[in-house]
């Protein structure tokens, strides 16, 4: 007796007259058009997941290395006489938050990215507020803002794509009529 197998995920079909695979939802008894639609949706979802993973890896880079570098360079500034302990520990705390986020983002990407994005925006706002006397929109100011703006865009893009992936999975699992 031949064992029935799903054409899409190659898993064993326990219920032979099943209309769709229990594992992946492939319409085993569906029309050819339904099967092609299923494969097309999965190809689009895979493409979206790949794009999201790329954005997430860049966001992880942004979460770790610039902050570690800034902390190391800032430490030389804060720890020279007179020692500025409050500023040193504040920068250590921010750096620690971003390092923790670097590791946590794999498990809960949307929640961590939202938190990191919020902390990053608050840090930018506080930095701009503190430097308000120095700000004049000249080329020097704009050139110093390029890196923070690029980091802002990378984090925002990763957050957007992760939310888009979650929405696509919800629509696939519960149907398109979710509110």
């Amino acid at each position: 007796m031949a064992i029935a197998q799903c054409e899409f995920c190659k898993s064993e079909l326990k219920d032979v007259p099943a209309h769709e695979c229990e594992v992946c939802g492939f319409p085993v008894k569906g029309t050819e058009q339904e099967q092609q639609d299923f494969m097309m949706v999965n190809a689009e979802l895979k493409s979206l997941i790949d794009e999201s993973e790329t954005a997430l890896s860049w966001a992880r880079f942004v979460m770790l290395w610039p902050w570690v570098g800034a902390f190391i360079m800032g430490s030389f500034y804060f720890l020279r006489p007179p020692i500025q302990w409050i500023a040193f520990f504040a920068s250590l705390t921010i750096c620690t938050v971003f390092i923790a986020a670097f590791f946590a983002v794999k498990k809960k990407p949307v929640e961590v990215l939202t938190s990191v994005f919020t902390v990053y925006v608050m840090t930018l706002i506080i930095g701009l507020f503190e430097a308000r006397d120095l700000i004049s929109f000249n080329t020097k100011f704009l050139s110093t803002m390029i890196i923070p703006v690029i980091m802002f865009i990378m984090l925002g893009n990763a957050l957007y794509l992760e939310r888009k992936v979650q929405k696509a999975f919800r629509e696939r699992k519960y149907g398109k009529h979710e509110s």
Side-chain angles (χ1 to χ4, degrees):
M1 181 174 156
I3 298 175
Q5 192 176 31
C6 173
E7 293 175 39
F8 188 74
C9 70
K10 308 296 182 209
S11 64
E12 182 180 323
L13 297 174
K14 295 179 180 148
D15 186 16
V16 177
H19 292 286
E20 66 179 41
C21 176
E22 297 171 354
V23 176
C24 67
F26 181 76
V28 178
K29 301 279 186 185
T31 64
E32 189 174 317
Q33 183 63 40
E34 289 173 335
Q35 291 176 350
Q36 286 178 349
D37 290 346
F38 179 85
M39 290 190 179
M40 189 174 77
V41 166
N42 275 312
E44 290 171 1
L45 190 58
K46 182 179 179 338
S47 172
L48 181 62
I49 290 170
D50 290 345
E51 185 181 358
S52 174
E53 285 177 353
T54 301
L56 191 60
S57 69
W58 278 107
R60 290 184 81 216
F61 175 85
V62 166
M63 281 186 243
L64 183 65
W65 299 112
W67 292 100
V68 169
F71 173 71
I72 291 169
M73 291 175 66
S75 295
F76 291 118
Y77 176 76
F78 296 135
L79 295 178
R80 66 184 179 151
I83 297 176
Q84 301 171 9
W85 289 107
I86 293 174
F88 173 75
F89 285 117
S91 66
L92 177 64
T93 303
I94 290 173
C95 187
T96 305
V97 166
F98 280 91
I99 290 172
F102 174 81
F103 293 106
V105 77
K106 282 286 194 179
K107 298 217 183 247
K108 298 216 177 244
V110 171
E111 294 83 354
V112 172
L113 281 170
T114 303
S115 302
V116 166
F117 195 70
T118 305
V119 169
Y120 184 73
V121 169
M122 288 180 0
T123 305
L124 277 178
I125 291 170
I126 291 169
L128 288 174
F129 181 74
E130 289 297 319
R132 69 184 179 276
D133 297 332
L134 305 173
I135 295 176
S136 59
F137 288 97
N138 56 24
T139 55
K140 184 178 182 208
F141 173 73
L142 293 176
S143 66
T144 58
M145 290 304 293
I146 287 174
I147 292 175
V149 167
I150 290 171
M151 292 169 64
F152 177 80
I153 290 170
M154 292 170 96
L155 288 170
N157 185 44
L159 180 59
Y160 167 74
L161 288 171
E162 282 298 319
R163 287 182 183 235
K164 198 172 174 181
V165 166
Q166 282 189 352
K167 182 181 176 193
F169 272 114
R170 278 195 310 272
E171 286 176 353
R172 183 166 181 237
K173 184 174 182 182
Y174 300 114
K176 298 222 181 236
H177 303 292
E178 185 191 355
S179 56

